[in-house]
Amino acid sequence: MNSSNRSRRTTPQPPGPLRIGALAEATRTSVETIRFYEREGLMSAPTRTESNYRTYRSEDVTRLDFIRRCRSLDMALPEVRALLEVLDQGGADCEGVNSILDEHIGHVALRIAELKTLEAELRELRARCEVPQAVSSCGILKGLAKREVGGDAAARAPHVHVRGAHVR
């Protein structure tokens, strides 16, 4: 099975209530991540046994799979939260979902452009030192030590989307 088929595979729904370890195993998610999603409000608080163990239902498996799929598409927690709200409310149409995804696509396109610029800067820097030489003559180190117009990655303005997500 190739990796694209694995990522599209649905998690089998285990019967009955699950403890957190079984939920983690069923969804290939760490226990710490499940607890984090609970704290962030992406997962509802689980019911507790008399022994105070968390118990989860098959709906929790489905929800956690949804969250993981969103995260695998590099969606920020506010984006995932917004999608879950639409899903939970079951509104009349999916216009809000389209808007969220369109914004995310724009963010990804911007990141790709930034990465291409970064690659060009790194290649230019690498071209400064074609052959090994004394450290004092290394064009890469000299280039890193200089602040050059147009080539200062640290001076680039950070970009923001979805109410502060992905701020660098």
Side-chain angles (χ1 to χ4, degrees):
M1 182 183 316
N2 67 33
S3 63
S4 64
N5 287 340
R6 267 193 301 259
S7 65
R8 292 185 198 147
R9 181 178 61 196
T10 57
T11 304
Q13 300 296 312
L18 300 167
R19 288 191 181 170
I20 195 166
L23 176 64
E25 185 177 325
T27 60
R28 295 172 307 213
T29 307
S30 74
V31 168
E32 294 79 22
T33 298
I34 294 169
R35 289 180 180 147
F36 173 75
Y37 290 154
E38 288 172 6
R39 285 191 306 274
E40 289 296 313
L42 300 177
M43 300 278 300
S44 59
T47 57
R48 300 270 185 165
T49 65
E50 289 181 18
S51 306
N52 206 29
Y53 287 109
R54 290 173 162 92
T55 59
Y56 300 88
R57 305 158 300 157
S58 62
E59 294 85 5
D60 296 314
V61 174
T62 302
R63 188 173 186 92
L64 189 52
D65 281 339
F66 181 89
I67 294 167
R68 285 180 45 84
R69 177 67 175 133
C70 290
R71 296 294 289 146
S72 75
L73 294 170
D74 201 34
M75 291 184 187
L77 292 181
E79 291 169 313
V80 177
R81 186 175 290 108
L83 289 172
L84 286 168
E85 287 171 6
V86 171
L87 188 64
D88 292 343
Q89 293 169 0
D93 62 38
C94 61
E95 181 180 354
V97 173
N98 293 341
S99 296
I100 293 166
L101 199 60
D102 288 342
E103 285 183 40
H104 188 64
I105 291 167
H107 169 71
V108 169
L110 178 62
R111 283 183 44 213
I112 289 169
E114 289 174 340
L115 287 170
K116 286 180 178 179
T117 300
L118 176 61
E119 179 186 23
E121 289 178 28
L122 290 169
R123 289 187 185 282
E124 186 277 327
L125 200 55
R126 178 62 180 94
R128 292 177 180 211
C129 193
E130 299 276 331
V131 295
Q133 53 192 317
V135 169
S136 61
S137 301
C138 179
I140 294 172
L141 294 176
K142 286 180 181 180
L144 288 170
K146 283 186 180 179
R147 182 180 183 138
E148 298 177 6
V149 177
D152 187 7
R156 283 193 216 115
H159 62 273
V160 177
H161 85 290
V162 189
R163 293 168 263 141
H166 294 290
V167 175
R168 288 190 275 151

